[in-house]
Amino acid sequence: MQYRKLGRTGLEVSVIGLGAAMLGSSDTKYALKVAKRALDLGVNYIDTARSYWNSEAILGQALKGRSGEVYISSKTAATTKEEAWKQVHESLEHLNTDHLDNCHLHGLRDERDLEKRLGPGGALEALMDAREKGLIHHIGCTSHRSHILVKALQRFNFEVILVPMNIVEREPLQELIPLCKQEGVGVTIMKPVATGLLPAPVALKWLLNQPVDTLVPGATTVEEIEIDAQVGQMADITLREEEQRRVDQLKKLLDNKRCRICAECEPCPKGIPIGTTLGTDVMYDHYRNMGPEAFRRFPWSVERVREEIERRKNRISQIKSCNQCGECERKCPYRLPIIRMLQDMVEPMEDMVRAWNEQLVF
Ligand code: SF4
Ligand code: SF4
């Protein structure tokens, strides 16, 4: 595995990390297998969050006796100091550790949100206190919107950022990443394979040729982490001519198919969370990537499935309430065919619910 310096934190992190969002979705035995396999392959940076179901607790178990091998980055989506302080302690407890190597402010949405979390009494104050007490070692922030992260960095000396970037979504290269490089901020990348729309080897290889420190592809299966880690183990990551051609083709093909979760199309008069639905629905992405049969065979967590069935039914009826007013499509800067994209999700989602119900019965 290749390693790079994570900005000015001084941490030497594997170029392929583990995005642990989905660990809480499979049964514990299988999730432990994924996490342990990642460590065996040389992955030493794990990205989790308070809000990723029981991902922190699974990692706490997986890291028993191996905590010295890995850096843990978690996140709090709290807005207030009090709530963030509570969440940092919950993370430590679930992860069974006395410190987090990094803790992010999770998912900065817009300037109002920034004002709240970075202002007096906001979540950032709790992270600063926690860092002073050694409970966390570094402070970072995440957002799906590059320009919000630029604003965050202009207000506070964050040490790490986490942002989506891939062959299709390249906005961070314009202003955000140059600023990070100038200030010594660690650059960590989520959605490196655009939630499975891009083939992992070429997508990860392309990213490792950009000025980034580590990629944290979300891995649900052992096979996924093995494929991802192979790219991190390559001695030479130079893109060959045919790979560069493939990158250009993929960019062209997916440019008006991939939602950037920029929220420019919202609010929808029917209350449909368009960006979240099109861009961050990891369970739906798994169904699409695995196919119906493998999805049915996968050992999902029973607790997660019970929750997810209800959530999914709500999402389906939200989409069905769309009256095709077209307001969202007029506002989308990427000209995505939003109405069709939403409608195309209904049938697979109904099959996901059927698959989970079958799994609960047997
Ligand atoms: S077309 Fe549908 S999704 Fe788009 S704004 Fe109108 S109701 Fe909402
Ligand atoms: S559909 Fe378009 S405007 Fe809406 S979040 Fe996605 S990329 Fe942004």
Side-chain angles (χ1 to χ4, degrees):
M1 178 65 71
Q2 305 288 325
Y3 297 84
R4 290 182 184 173
K5 278 215 163 30
L6 184 63
R8 62 177 188 272
T9 65
L11 307 181
E12 289 262 347
V13 295
S14 49
V15 290
I16 301 296
L18 172 64
M22 288 303 283
L23 286 189
S25 302
S26 40
D27 76 27
T28 306
K29 210 168 131 199
Y30 187 79
L32 285 172
K33 244 167 109 173
V34 176
K36 287 180 180 170
R37 185 71 185 125
L39 299 188
D40 293 342
L41 290 164
V43 167
N44 78 346
Y45 185 82
I46 300 186
D47 178 84
T48 182
R50 195 72 283 281
S51 57
Y52 293 166
W53 295 279
N54 61 343
S55 152
E56 288 181 328
I58 285 169
L59 288 169
Q61 283 189 55
L63 298 177
K64 265 187 199 148
R66 301 186 72 171
S67 55
E69 294 175 39
V70 72
Y71 298 118
I72 295 281
S73 178
S74 193
K75 317 183 186 76
T76 170
T79 51
T80 65
K81 180 176 181 178
E82 205 184 355
E83 185 57 21
W85 184 253
K86 190 170 144 254
Q87 289 200 359
V88 167
H89 282 82
E90 284 170 359
S91 289
L92 294 174
E93 192 188 324
H94 286 272
L95 284 157
N96 196 22
T97 178
D98 60 0
H99 74 275
L100 298 175
D101 296 286
N102 177 60
C103 187
H104 286 296
L105 290 181
H106 192 174
L108 294 169
R109 285 184 296 279
D110 49 32
E111 291 192 48
R112 254 177 72 187
D113 187 31
L114 206 61
E115 199 53 52
K116 207 166 173 186
R117 293 207 244 176
L118 271 59
L124 179 62
E125 287 185 356
L127 298 196
M128 287 164 73
D129 285 356
R131 185 172 61 183
E132 213 175 292
K133 290 183 167 50
L135 302 177
I136 65 178
H137 289 177
H138 302 285
I139 300 178
C141 57
T142 85
S143 178
H144 286 122
R145 310 174 85 178
S146 279
H147 70 278
I148 294 297
L149 288 175
V150 169
K151 290 203 184 313
L153 291 175
Q154 286 163 348
R155 287 189 55 161
F156 181 75
N157 283 333
F158 288 100
E159 297 160 279
V160 186
I161 57 118
L162 174 67
V163 69
M165 188 163 101
N166 53 56
I167 288 171
V168 190
E169 301 164 71
R170 302 185 186 190
E171 290 85 345
L173 286 171
Q174 289 162 17
E175 196 181 354
L176 176 63
I177 292 184
L179 177 63
C180 290
K181 291 292 145 186
Q182 183 190 307
E183 303 294 327
V185 177
V187 177
T188 72
I189 300 296
M190 61 169 137
K191 315 271 184 306
V193 293
T195 64
L197 290 176
L198 295 165
V202 74
L204 301 182
K205 217 171 155 189
W206 177 81
L207 271 168
L208 291 180
N209 280 283
Q210 311 306 321
V212 302
D213 300 328
T214 183
L215 319 177
V216 289
T220 306
T221 66
V222 170
E223 291 74 23
E224 280 170 349
I225 190 64
E226 286 175 344
I227 292 169
D228 298 343
Q230 263 175 23
V231 180
Q233 287 159 349
M234 288 176 181
D236 180 10
I237 51 156
T238 316
L239 285 174
R240 295 192 304 269
E241 234 178 275
E242 69 268 25
E243 288 175 321
Q244 188 54 58
R245 269 201 302 278
R246 182 86 179 111
V247 165
D248 299 341
Q249 280 167 356
L250 286 164
K251 165 103 175 94
K252 222 165 143 190
L253 190 75
L254 295 172
D255 236 359
N256 70 346
K257 287 197 175 72
R258 169 72 185 151
C259 170
R260 274 70 161 184
I261 323 161
C262 65
E264 295 292 330
C265 56
E266 297 180 30
C268 152
K270 292 288 181 182
I272 303 170
I274 300 171
T276 319
T277 307
L278 294 180
T280 64
D281 189 338
V282 277
M283 274 292 188
Y284 173 81
D285 295 327
H286 276 297
Y287 179 90
R288 184 196 59 215
N289 301 338
M290 288 175 168
E293 292 317 309
F295 188 87
R296 277 176 162 76
R297 284 196 307 270
F298 190 77
W300 298 109
S301 142
V302 172
E303 295 76 33
R304 176 75 204 277
V305 160
R306 281 192 215 285
E307 252 182 66
E308 194 60 36
I309 288 176
E310 285 319 302
R311 249 189 84 226
R312 191 64 44 186
K313 284 182 183 161
N314 288 339
R315 186 56 60 85
I316 293 168
S317 49
Q318 271 180 330
I319 297 178
K320 285 185 171 171
S321 75
C322 168
N323 61 6
Q324 309 199 3
C325 70
E327 214 175 290
C328 53
E329 293 192 356
R330 283 191 287 278
K331 289 193 273 187
C332 175
Y334 304 97
R335 307 246 171 271
L336 299 191
I338 299 172
I339 301 172
R340 185 167 48 76
M341 287 169 78
L342 287 171
Q343 284 172 349
D344 285 350
M345 293 176 85
V346 171
E347 214 180 297
M349 282 191 188
E350 288 175 337
D351 193 44
M352 286 163 72
V353 172
R354 273 195 299 276
W356 283 325
N357 276 325
E358 286 162 18
Q359 214 175 45
L360 289 181
V361 170
F362 290 107

